Amino acid sequence: MSATVEERFDETRGVARLWYGVLAGAAAWKLQLVVNYALVPWACWHRVEVVNHLASFATLLLALSGAWVAWGSWKATGEGTDTDPGGVLGRSRFMALGGMALSGFLALVILGQWVPNLMLSPCDGIH
């Protein structure tokens, strides 16, 4: 592996991309829960239930962006090469794979929590 790749993930920008890949899915999932919960009374009062769908769609895109950034970081580390598990490259590869798995999984969780909103009205229990 070239020193330039190792330097890339030793700099702040490379490390920030790794952390974004790991944390974006979790932040998106939590954001979906909080925003949808807070929007239900307002959406029902104003009869605009589509805002819950827009919030779920936006958080799904956020989680998928985390998986995409993690995938780009994984590709940049040279995904198929064998290196020492320690050091900058080992850490970067582990965080990139973890970010792809976590953000991808939480994107599926967001979809799973969105499906009931597509079939049931959140306003049924409020009236």
Side-chain angles (χ1 to χ4, degrees):
M1 203 52 39
S2 67
T4 58
V5 173
E6 201 166 312
E7 289 171 1
R8 177 180 175 184
F9 289 104
D10 202 23
E11 294 175 353
T12 305
R13 185 173 179 192
V15 173
R17 289 178 61 83
L18 291 170
W19 278 111
Y20 180 81
V22 170
L23 298 176
W29 176 51
K30 183 65 175 177
L31 194 61
Q32 183 209 22
L33 287 172
V34 170
V35 169
N36 277 341
Y37 183 78
L39 281 177
V40 166
W42 182 88
C44 292
W45 179 262
H46 295 288
R47 300 186 191 281
V48 187
E49 294 179 32
V50 73
V51 294
N52 289 87
H53 299 297
L54 292 175
S56 292
F57 182 69
T59 55
L60 177 66
L61 290 179
L62 179 62
L64 290 175
S65 75
W68 182 73
V69 167
W71 178 75
S73 295
W74 181 67
K75 295 287 283 183
T77 61
E79 71 275 0
T81 59
D82 289 330
T83 60
D84 194 20
V88 173
L89 285 177
R91 177 209 65 206
S92 301
R93 188 168 289 126
F94 176 77
M95 286 183 72
L97 285 171
M100 284 190 297
L102 187 60
S103 290
F105 172 73
L106 289 170
L108 290 174
V109 170
I110 290 169
L111 272 175
Q113 290 178 335
W114 188 7
V115 169
N117 284 342
L118 294 171
M119 296 180 203
L120 303 170
S121 172
C123 300
D124 290 340
I126 291 182
H127 299 293

